[in-house]
RNA sequence: GCGCGGUUAGCUCAGUGGUAGAGCACUACCUUGACACGGUAGGGGUCAGAGGUUCGAAACCUCUACCGCGCACCA
């Protein structure tokens, strides 16, 4: 067998294995399998998307779960796909068209534009899928879905029609959130409020009936004054009560408007008077409805002033118009003052421009099954991890409002509604016979015009958990086992999928537990940069995962990221952490390489208690630690604490196995005693085999490579069962043996410390003397000696050290460092310090034992431990003092 | 305003009642028959602050401060 290189080369190994897995169809789910099902649907990335660290985190977690389940004997479906992302994709293509051809979508027309999007999609779309393959994702690519697949699109249409027929979807003229940049309505969830600096303008409205008397009103939006249709104050506000029923002169587009009283006005705010602008503010709209006020719209869809009556403002962009309106009022002496003011403004999540509240005719969904959706999470039919998201979810559902689902966007699922030609969509008539809603066009299409709009992208995504599956697949794999997603789409997607599952009942039975879309939801962290900022293109703080894969390997990236991914908290990304992942891969590679260099063990270690009797004490220790690691990992997985799983594996491999076991086992490995040698090698094989299997979900390529190079199993590691705990408990003296190992390791550390304190170089071979009456320790001398890098370690129960000999009190006895010309003064100083330190600690522990309350109330084991500690410290003190005073 | 997180070593974070931890960074020594992407040893923390519960609190309770997030308000 050729010797392996000292560095693991992911560039050669990772693509090789991924290709083999694909060729072997290892990730293809079989709905006819008799194995229990485990399924995940991938949150579909946008077709325009590029892989981000967020995707890496999210998909690594899904891959870990899928691969682990596969090893555990589940039939696994990990269903991948993409989202057409209506507004997002349309905006991207529009930008591209503007850049390349200087054309807008309107220049091209609907049909041509959609053709261009498809063209663009073929060229630039779906890159992210190839990127996920580089990461090692074990998705069933044969089932890759797209939210615009024919069958999927038909399902979206059908759902729309069904909900319409149930009366849950309706068309209405309402106040909605208008995005003037994208020129479409958006849902409440797509509005992000941000603090914004501006001015509070105090405007004077003259009272019609009392010329010379002014009503002062505070507003942030003077550009909408032309749309004011009333002035309002709180009915209990004495300052203005005499004005009720009178009128004010609207200062721009001068007109008489009534003064009214409404409960909604906060007398504390500003002057306690509100200018009521029903067309441009949600609250004002409601007031307008109550008082039957006219609605005057003075803004265009693009957010420009549309008011020929005030030529100075007409055609101005809304924020320019704001300044100009203030100037006009100022010039007319109607602006009392303008105070700097900061308030929260709703911004479009998509375009990042301020949302314009606007009255518009749109399609709405009255959410069904909200009570049931609350209940399934409250009663833990669906569990959230971390659980605190349950509260966020509940709050949203309890305050839910109808969902505006229509978008003035061309790219997406077209609304399956038609209007009689004489009753075009702009018509206010809503009589049902004038609207046709159906999955097929109306029988006499020439008389109808289809609604121009498409539905919100999320109105298609909410079916993702089951519409991606054919009936047979659904029967086997729905409900899915777990959904892995970022918490920022808990409302957009998670909650709506739950509602969809409960309402549309896609399962084989109508039972609630069969129709929920998933049993668990794991909310991942959000990856931020080292300064805690969100990753964003404009900040340029988002590293390219592909570059990280090139640099550190996919497995290094995966492991590094998982080790720092806490649950329920954001991740601060630091490339050094990925470097650690790569280093860990190298460490594992090298310890496997070392094993390979030692040749065959001939006989594998049988997993029977009898076999354990002949093991070295160090083997028992590492196997016991392996058992503990398996337990720890198991419970960490139960809570989706992937960082803990990774950390336990890291510690076990690096510390327990490499630093301690392998170093200690070298005595046997390099010895002439064939039985001992074979035993040590067999233990290494067992531990490596188990470790690789435990690590496989995190580092699939590397573990597969080592598994195959070392010939640890018959087939590929991805189909190997996870390691069982060893039946060590059946071995009578495990505890004694482990205590001995721990004493030996403590002695080694004490000896190394002596060397360092005496300023002896690491490579200098030196002599140690261990003074002890324990004769059984003599068989461990070679290993102790090796670990201490000693020239010689002698056991001498009666050793008398010259004064000033460096000494450490260890669990095995006093360990002396024999050096010819030790600096006696400095050694004495060191001992003094050591004695003082131990005496201090002994005093502290003793004081505690003096405390009756402690002795009476604390658990016996704890008290006992303290007693032992005192005895131990006292013994150490005595011995150290002897050593210092040279009387030993 | 309501709610949810967080505050532990220079940095990133573990730690759910019993002697304060890991990795990185730092210091010193070391290329010793797997690994310098490595080994050994070391320095470094009044666990945000105040009060309380307890024999005992980083942990549990209350309050405060600061950071982040969500919802509401946002004239």
């Amino acid at each position: 067998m050729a010797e392996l290189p000292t560095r693991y080369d992911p560039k050669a190994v990772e693509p090789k294995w991924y290709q083999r897995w694909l060729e072997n169809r290892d990730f293809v789910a079989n709905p006819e399998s008799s194995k229990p099902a485990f399924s995940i649907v991938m949150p579909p990335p946008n077709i325009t998307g590029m892989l981000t660290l967020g995707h890496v985190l999210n998909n690594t977690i899904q891959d870990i779960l899928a691969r682990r389940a596969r090893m555990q004997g589940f039939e696994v479906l990990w269903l991948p796909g993409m989202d057409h992302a209506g507004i997002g994709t349309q905006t991207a293509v529009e930008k591209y068209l503007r850049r390349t051809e200087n054309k807008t979508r309107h220049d091209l027309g609907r049909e041509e534009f959609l053709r261009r999007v498809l063209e663009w999609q073929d060229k630039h779309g779906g890159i992210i899928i190839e990127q996920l393959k580089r990461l090692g994702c074990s998705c069933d690519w044969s089932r890759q879905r797209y939210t615009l697949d024919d069958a999927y699109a038909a399902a979206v249409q059908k759902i729309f029609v069904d909900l319409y027929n149930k009366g849950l979807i309706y068309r209405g003229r309402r106040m909605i959130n208008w995005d003037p940049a994208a020129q479409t309505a958006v849902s409440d969830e797509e509005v992000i409020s941000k603090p914004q600096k501006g001015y509070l303008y105090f405007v004077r409205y003259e009272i019609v009936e009392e010329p010379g008397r002014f009503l002062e009103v505070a507003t942030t939006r003077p550009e909408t004054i032309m749309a004011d249709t009333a002035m309002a104050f709180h009915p209990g506000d004495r300052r203005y009560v005499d004005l009720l029923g009178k009128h004010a002169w609207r200062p721009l587009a001068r007109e008489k408007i009534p003064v009214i009283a409404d409960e909604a006005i906060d007398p504390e705010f500003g002057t306690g008077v509100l200018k009521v602008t029903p067309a441009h503010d949600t609250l004002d709209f409601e007031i307008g409805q109550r008082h039957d006020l006219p609605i005057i719209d003075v803004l265009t869809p693009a957010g420009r002033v549309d008011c020929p009556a005030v030529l100075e403002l007409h055609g101005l962009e809304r924020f320019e118009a704001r300044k100009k309106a203030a100037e006009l009022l100022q010039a007319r002496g109607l602006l009392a003052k303008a105070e700097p003011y900061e308030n929260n403004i709703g911004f479009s999540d998509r375009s990042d421009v301020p949302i314009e509240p606007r009255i518009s005719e749109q399609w709405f969904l009255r959410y069904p099954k909200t009570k049931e959706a609350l209940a399934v999470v409250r009663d833990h039919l669906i569990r959230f991890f971390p659980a605190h998201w349950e509260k966020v979810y509940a709050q949203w559902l309890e305050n839910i409002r109808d969902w505006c689902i229509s978008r003035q966007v061309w790219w997406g699922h077209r609304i399956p509604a038609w209007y009689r030609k004489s009753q075009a969509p702009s018509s206010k008539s809503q009589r049902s016979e004038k609207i046709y809603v159906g999955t097929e066009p109306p029988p006499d299409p020439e008389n109808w015009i289809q609604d121009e709009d498409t539905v919100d992208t999320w109105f298609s995504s909410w079916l993702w958990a089951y519409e991606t599956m054919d009936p047979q697949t659904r029967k086997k794999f729905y409900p899915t086992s777990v959904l892995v997603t970022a918490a920022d789409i808990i409302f957009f997607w998670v909650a709506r999928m739950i509602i969809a599952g409960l309402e549309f009942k896609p399962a084989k039975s109508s039972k609630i537990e069969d129709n929920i879309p998933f049993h668990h939801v794991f909310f991942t962290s959000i990856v931020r940069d080292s300064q805690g900022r969100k990753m964003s293109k404009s900040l340029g703080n988002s590293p390219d995962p592909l570059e990280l894969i090139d640099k550190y390997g996919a497995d290094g990236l995966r492991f590094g990221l998982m080790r720092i991914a806490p649950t329920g908290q954001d991740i601060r990304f630091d490339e050094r952490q990925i470097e650690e992942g790569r280093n860990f891969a190298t460490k594992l590679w090298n310890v496997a390489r070392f094993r390979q260099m030692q040749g065959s063990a001939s006989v594998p270690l049988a997993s029977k208690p009898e076999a354990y009797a002949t093991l070295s004490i160090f083997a028992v220790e590492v196997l016991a630690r392996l058992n503990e690691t398996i337990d720890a990992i198991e419970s960490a997985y139960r809570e989706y604490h992937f960082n803990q799983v990774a950390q336990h594996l890291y510690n076990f491999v690096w510390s327990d196995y490499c630093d301690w076991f392998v170093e200690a086992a070298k005595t046997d490995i390099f010895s002439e005693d064939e039985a001992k040698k074979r035993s040590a090698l067999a233990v290494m094989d067992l531990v490596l085999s188990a470790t690789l299997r435990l690590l496989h979900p995190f580092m699939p390529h590397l573990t597969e490579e080592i598994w195959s190079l070392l010939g640890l199993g018959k087939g590929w590691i991805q189909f190997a069962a996870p390691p069982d705990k060893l039946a060590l408990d059946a071995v009578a003296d495990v505890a004694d043996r482990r205590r001995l190992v721990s004493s030996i390791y403590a002695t080694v550390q004490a000896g190394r410390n002596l060397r360092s304190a005496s300023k002896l170089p690491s490579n200098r071979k030196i002599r140690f003397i261990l003074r002890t009456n324990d004769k059984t320790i003599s068989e461990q001398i070679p290993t102790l000696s090796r670990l201490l890098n000693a020239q010689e370690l002698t056991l001498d129960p009666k050793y008398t050290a010259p004064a000033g000999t460096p000494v450490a009190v260890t669990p095995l006895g006093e360990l002396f460092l024999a050096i010819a010309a030790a600096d006696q003064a400095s050694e004495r100083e060191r001992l003094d310090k050591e004695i003082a330190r131990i005496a201090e600690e002994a005093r502290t522990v003793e004081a505690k034992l003096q405390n009756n309350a402690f002795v009476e109330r604390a658990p016996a084991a704890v008290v006992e431990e303290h007693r032992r500690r005192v005895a131990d410290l006292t013994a150490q003190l005595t011995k150290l003092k002897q050593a210092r005073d040279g009387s030993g």
Side-chain angles (χ1 to χ4, degrees), chain A residues 775-795:
Chain A
K775 294 201 179 67
T776 62
I777 205 69
S778 64
E779 62 183 282
Q780 302 304 339
I781 293 298
T783 302
L784 267 168
S785 182
R786 166 180 292 278
L787 295 175
L788 283 166
N789 196 24
Q791 183 185 40
E792 190 189 11
L793 171 64
T794 43
L795 281 189

Side-chain angles (χ1 to χ4, degrees), chain A residues 409-574:
Chain A
V409 167
W410 288 346
W411 176 245
H413 300 272
R414 189 132 175 208
I415 289 177
W418 286 259
Y419 308 98
R420 278 253 183 238
K421 272 193 175 156
S422 54
Q423 301 282 348
S426 57
S427 161
K428 281 178 187 168
S429 164
Q430 280 186 54
R431 281 177 299 154
S432 61
E433 68 268 25
K434 303 300 179 198
I435 295 182
Y436 169 89
V437 174
T439 51
E440 297 296 323
D444 51 339
E446 64 281 2
N447 295 326
W448 299 81
I449 295 173
Q450 186 171 5
D451 193 309
E452 290 291 318
D453 294 347
T454 52
V455 291
D456 184 358
T457 296
W458 298 104
F459 188 85
S460 70
S461 324
W462 73 331
L463 311 179
W464 188 250
Y466 68 90
E467 271 309 333
T468 46
M469 300 182 191
D470 59 66
Q472 191 193 19
T473 307
R474 207 183 287 177
K475 200 173 161 202
K476 174 81 181 171
F477 291 107
Y478 186 91
T480 64
S481 310
V482 53
L483 178 76
V484 179
T485 188
D488 55 359
I489 53 173
I490 185 170
F491 310 138
F492 284 112
W493 198 44
V494 179
R496 287 168 181 164
M497 273 201 287
I498 294 173
I499 292 173
L502 295 173
E503 174 67 13
F504 307 131
K505 295 191 173 31
K508 48 190 181 270
S509 87
S510 60
K511 280 190 276 186
I512 284 180
E513 61 266 35
D514 287 337
N515 285 289
I516 51 174
F518 25 71
H519 293 110
H520 289 176
V521 182
F522 175 63
F523 291 103
T524 64
S525 328
I526 290 173
V527 185
R528 295 174 177 279
D529 73 4
S530 56
Q531 290 157 54
R533 299 174 303 182
K534 259 190 180 170
M535 298 284 187
S536 81
K537 272 186 192 161
S538 53
L539 280 173
N541 59 350
S542 176
D544 178 1
L546 272 297
E547 277 173 28
L548 294 172
I549 290 176
D550 284 340
K551 243 168 125 179
Y552 304 110
D555 288 348
L557 172 61
R558 290 165 61 119
F559 194 84
L561 195 57
M562 290 318 297
R563 204 157 72 92
I564 56 163
T567 51
Q569 248 176 276
D570 295 348
I571 299 176
R572 291 202 177 210
F573 180 77
D574 187 333

Side-chain angles (χ1 to χ4, degrees), chain A residues 327-383:
Chain A
E327 285 168 20
L328 286 177
L329 293 168
Q330 176 87 57
R332 294 175 195 179
L334 296 174
L335 185 64
K337 59 180 172 176
E339 289 177 349
Y341 184 67
E342 187 175 298
N343 65 341
N344 288 320
I345 300 285
F347 276 71
S348 165
D349 192 14
R350 180 58 54 186
S351 318
D352 203 34
V353 299
I355 285 292
E356 198 57 57
R358 189 160 196 264
I359 295 160
S360 174
E361 186 146 37
Q362 302 284 347
W363 290 93
F364 296 88
L365 169 70
R366 191 174 306 121
Y367 285 101
K369 298 287 188 293
T370 55
K371 284 204 181 77
E372 291 84 346
L374 267 171
V376 292
V377 171
R378 186 195 56 220
D379 301 339
H380 290 168
L381 241 51
I382 297 175
R383 292 195 87 101

Side-chain angles (χ1 to χ4, degrees), chain A residues 696-715:
Chain A
H696 175 71
F698 287 74
M699 313 182 100
H701 314 87
L702 173 61
T703 49
E704 194 77 273
E705 176 77 359
I706 297 175
W707 183 264
S708 117
L709 283 173
L710 262 47
L712 286 169
K714 281 187 193 118

